[in-house]
Amino acid sequence: MTETNSKTIPTEPQCDCAGAQAANPSSQPANWAQAANLSSQPANSSTIRTVIFDFDGTLHDSAYIYMKAFLEAYEWLVAEGHAQPRTFQLQDISCYLGLTADEMWSSFAPELPKSVTDQAARIVGAAMDRFMTDGSARLFPGVPEMLTRVHDAGLNCVFLSNCRIAYKDVAREVFGLDQWFSAYYSAEAFGDIPKEEIFKTIAKEQPGSWMAVGDRYKDLNLARAHDLPSVGCLYGYGSYEELQDATALASSVSEVADCVLRICGLEE
C-alpha cells in the first residue's frame, strides 16, 4: 500500500465552500497576515524528521483542472437524465477538493444512487489524469523551491493525499516528485480511510517525530489526532476557520518552508 522512492534524491534543484484562494485578507482576523508566526512551539520540535505533505491545494493548484473534469462528469449526468443543466462557478466546487471521491459525491448529490456517482467519479478521475499528462496541470508557483528548501534541510518528505493510486502515479511522474519525496500514501490504497488512520502506517514506516502540512480540515484532523505540529496553508482551498488551530499558518507557498524550518528549529 505504501510506495517508496528508491532513487537517489538529488540535492539540487464538509463542506464549507470557501472557494479557490480562500485566504482573502479582507475576510480574515486583523492579525492573520502574521501567518508565518507560530501559535505554539511543540516541546519535541527539534526531533522532527518527517514532514507529511498534502497534495491538492497544498502543492498542486488542482482547481485549475478539477473544474474541467467535474464539468465533464456533470454533462454526463445531464445527458443520462440524472441532473438538470446548470452553470457552475469555481467556488461552487472548490470546497470538494481534498475529499475522497465518495465524500465529494455523497455531499454534492446525496440523492443519486452510488452506481451513478461511482461512474461520475470515474469520469472525473479519467479527465484529471488526462489533463495531468497533457500538460494542463500546474503546481502552485514556488512549490519546487519550497520543497527543495525543506528537503535540503535534511527533512524526510512524505506524500499523503485523499487521492486515487493512478492519480498519485501520474502526478509523481509529471511533476518529478521523487526528487523530494521518499514515500507516497494515497487514500485509495488504504480503502479511503481517514488520514489520521493512514498515519498509523506512516508512523511505523517513516522516521519520527512527524509534522503535517495541508490546506484542509482533514490535515488538521490528522495533526490533532496524533498531537503533531502542523502548518495550515491559507492559499489553498480551505477556510481560515478550518486551519486557525494549526501550529503555524502560511499565507504563501514560500512561507510553508519558513514555518516548517522554524517549527523544526532549522531556521536558515
Side-chain angles (χ1 to χ4, degrees), residues 74-128:
Y74 196 81
E75 287 172 5
W76 175 80
L77 290 173
V78 171
E80 294 294 314
H82 299 300
Q84 295 299 313
R86 58 172 288 194
T87 300
F88 291 92
Q89 301 299 320
L90 180 58
Q91 59 266 29
D92 296 326
I93 63 168
S94 60
C95 60
Y96 298 115
L97 288 163
L99 308 185
T100 65
D102 280 348
E103 290 170 332
M104 179 272 161
W105 287 103
S106 64
S107 177
F108 175 76
E111 73 284 359
L112 293 179
K114 192 170 186 305
S115 59
V116 172
T117 57
D118 282 350
Q119 178 59 23
R122 284 190 287 271
I123 292 171
V124 171
M128 293 281 282

Side-chain angles (χ1 to χ4, degrees), residues 3-186:
E3 223 173 310
T4 58
N5 172 18
S6 59
K7 298 180 182 179
T8 300
I9 302 176
T11 56
E12 288 185 12
Q14 116 171 198
C15 183
D16 242 345
C17 293
Q21 306 303 310
N24 182 340
S26 64
S27 65
Q28 309 307 334
N31 64 347
W32 87 280
Q34 298 174 351
N37 291 338
L38 303 184
S39 59
S40 62
Q41 182 73 16
N44 65 344
S45 63
S46 63
T47 68
I48 293 172
R49 297 174 62 191
T50 294
V51 183
I52 303 167
F53 280 96
D54 172 54
F55 184 60
D56 289 320
T58 300
L59 306 177
H60 177 213
D61 188 3
S62 46
Y64 189 65
I65 62 173
Y66 183 70
M67 180 73 169
K68 295 188 291 183
F70 171 84
L71 290 176
E72 287 191 15
Y74 196 81
E75 287 172 5
W76 175 80
L77 290 173
V78 171
E80 294 294 314
H82 299 300
Q84 295 299 313
R86 58 172 288 194
T87 300
F88 291 92
Q89 301 299 320
L90 180 58
Q91 59 266 29
D92 296 326
I93 63 168
S94 60
C95 60
Y96 298 115
L97 288 163
L99 308 185
T100 65
D102 280 348
E103 290 170 332
M104 179 272 161
W105 287 103
S106 64
S107 177
F108 175 76
E111 73 284 359
L112 293 179
K114 192 170 186 305
S115 59
V116 172
T117 57
D118 282 350
Q119 178 59 23
R122 284 190 287 271
I123 292 171
V124 171
M128 293 281 282
D129 293 349
R130 186 174 72 251
F131 295 140
M132 189 87 74
T133 55
D134 74 8
S136 297
R138 61 191 185 189
L139 299 176
F140 285 109
V143 163
E145 294 80 5
M146 178 272 288
L147 289 173
T148 296
R149 285 181 63 197
V150 173
H151 172 266
D152 286 1
L155 295 167
N156 177 43
C157 297
V158 167
F159 175 112
L160 173 59
S161 174
N162 283 326
C163 69
R164 295 171 298 107
I165 297 169
Y167 180 76
K168 174 264 298 174
D169 290 340
V170 173
R172 181 178 178 180
E173 179 177 357
V174 167
F175 295 123
L177 298 180
D178 283 0
Q179 62 188 299
W180 302 294
F181 289 92
S182 66
Y184 298 80
Y185 300 83
S186 56

